[in-house]
Amino acid sequence: MPELPEVEHASMLLRRWLAGRTIARAEAESTRVFRGSDRQMFEMGLPGRRFERVDRRGKYLVLTFDGDVALLSHLGMTGKWIRQPPGDPAPDHSRARLRLDDGVVIHYSDVRLFGRLAIHSASGIATLPELEELGPDALSDGVDVDRLAAKLSGTPRAVKLVLMDQSVLAGIGNIQATEALFRARVHPARPGRSLDRSEVRAIARGIEASIAHTIQQIRREEEMRLPEEREKSPFLVYDRAGEPCPRCRTRTGRILLGGRTTAFCPRCQPRAHREAHARAA
C-alpha cells in the first residue's frame, strides 16, 4: 500500500520521466479514479502542456504543467505510475495514460481503483481542502517533537491512530506507524496522553528512521529486481505477526486498531510505560 516512501519514490520517477517533455495525448477510461472530478478535463486539458515539476505533499502528488494546469494524484491502495517505451503493451489495470511527445507512455495503473486523479488550476491547488488540512510532511518538514508531544498529550486515542491522522503528520500510514512504534519500543495502543517526552522523542526518531529505511529498500529493489519479485518483507514487524521479534526473538503479536491490523512485540513494546525502553532502536 503506497505510503510516504512509495509516493516519494513515485515523485522521483515522474520527475525523471517527464523532464523536458510535452503531453501529446491524454487518455482514460471512465472509472472511479475520476470520482469528484472530470475525466474529460484530463483528456482535454493536458495535451500540448509542457511538464514543469512534481511536488509531493503527504500521500499526494501534484504534477504541474505550463498554462496553470496541475494534475492531482493520490495512489490509494494499489495505484502506481508506470513508464512504457513506444510500442510496448499497456500494463495490467491501466486506467489513464499520458502519451509524451517522444512516444513514451506513462500509465496510471490501479487494481482496486481507490486512487484518484483530478485536474485543477496550478495556482489554486494549494487551497484544496484535502491539501490544506494536511499536517507537516513527515519527510520534507521533519517530525517536530514539541508539536507531536502537544498533539499526543491531550488525547486518549491510541498513539498509532494519532500518528496515522494526516492532520497530525502527513504521509504516515499503517505500515510506517507500525514500524516507527516498534523502533521506539512503544505499544501501539498506548493512549497518547500516557506518553512522556522521551517516548515521543523516540517515536519521532523511529518515524524518520523507518521512512529512510523504506526509501532505501525501494531504491535497492529498483536497481536489483522488480517489486513483484520481492523475496522477503523489508519491514521489521509489519505483516510479520506470529514471527520471532527481530530484536528479542519473542513471538510477535497482533491487535486491531481503527480497523487495521497492527503487529507488535509484547516484550519490546509493553502496554505499560517502561521508561528504560523509551528509545529508538
Side-chain angles (χ1 to χ4, degrees):
M1 181 185 302
E3 293 187 17
L4 188 155
E6 290 80 11
V7 182
E8 174 68 16
H9 187 66
S11 72
M12 180 192 73
L13 293 178
L14 287 168
R15 202 169 288 122
R16 182 197 309 164
W17 297 339
L18 295 171
R21 303 262 62 96
T22 297
I23 306 300
R25 186 175 175 183
E27 307 164 348
E29 281 70 56
S30 181
T31 66
R32 61 178 178 151
V33 300
F34 290 99
R35 61 194 178 277
S37 65
D38 190 338
R39 177 177 62 89
Q40 290 185 333
M41 288 182 64
F42 175 86
E43 294 186 322
M44 298 175 63
L46 288 174
R49 299 299 179 189
R50 187 174 179 83
F51 172 76
E52 291 185 346
R53 69 179 189 275
V54 177
D55 299 299
R56 181 192 56 76
R57 189 69 184 171
K59 301 177 188 179
Y60 287 91
L61 291 167
V62 179
L63 287 68
T64 301
F65 301 86
D66 66 0
D68 196 38
V69 174
L71 173 62
L72 182 69
S73 168
H74 190 288
L75 302 180
M77 293 183 68
T78 57
K80 64 176 75 172
W81 288 96
I82 300 171
R83 179 186 185 276
Q84 293 286 75
D88 276 19
D92 292 340
H93 313 294
S94 175
R95 311 300 185 182
R97 291 159 294 285
L98 300 175
R99 297 189 181 275
L100 308 184
D101 55 352
D102 62 353
V104 166
V105 184
I106 309 299
H107 294 262
Y108 175 71
S109 171
D110 196 337
V111 177
R112 300 186 66 182
L113 296 169
F114 287 128
R116 284 182 54 217
L117 296 174
I119 296 293
H120 295 278
S121 66
S123 57
I125 199 165
T127 63
L128 292 176
E130 54 263 56
L131 297 183
E132 272 198 320
E133 294 167 2
L134 293 176
D137 186 275
L139 178 63
S140 58
D141 298 324
V143 184
D144 185 295
V145 175
D146 290 336
R147 185 180 185 279
L148 182 57
K151 292 290 185 180
L152 289 165
S153 65
T155 181
R157 283 197 300 165
V159 58
K160 186 191 173 191
L161 298 184
V162 177
L163 296 183
M164 292 172 60
D165 183 338
Q166 298 302 290
S167 69
V168 175
L169 275 175
I172 302 300
N174 188 33
I175 297 172
Q176 294 302 315
T178 297
E179 291 288 289
L181 290 168
F182 174 75
R183 288 172 180 270
R185 301 175 183 257
V186 172
H187 193 285
R190 286 270 303 278
R193 62 190 179 193
S194 74
L195 300 169
D196 64 28
R197 188 172 179 79
S198 66
E199 290 175 302
V200 177
R201 189 181 301 112
I203 291 169
R205 290 199 301 265
I207 291 170
E208 292 169 348
S210 181
I211 289 173
H213 170 77
T214 308
I215 290 174
Q216 181 183 47
Q217 290 297 113
I218 292 170
R219 289 175 178 170
R220 182 175 298 149
E221 285 179 357
E222 184 188 34
E223 293 172 358
M224 298 178 63
R225 62 179 71 88
L226 295 175
E228 290 78 6
E229 297 173 351
R230 176 180 289 164
E231 296 177 356
K232 61 180 181 179
S233 170
F235 304 113
L236 299 176
V237 292
Y238 174 77
D239 202 29
R240 289 179 174 272
E243 297 182 19
C245 167
R247 184 187 288 126
C248 73
R249 311 309 293 172
T250 299
R251 184 176 179 178
T252 52
R254 174 170 48 201
I255 58 173
L256 200 64
L257 287 172
R260 309 295 293 276
T261 299
T262 300
F264 71 102
C265 173
R267 182 177 179 185
C268 295
Q269 298 169 268
R271 184 68 180 262
H273 169 58
R274 194 185 326 172
E275 186 173 348
H277 279 177
R279 59 180 184 276

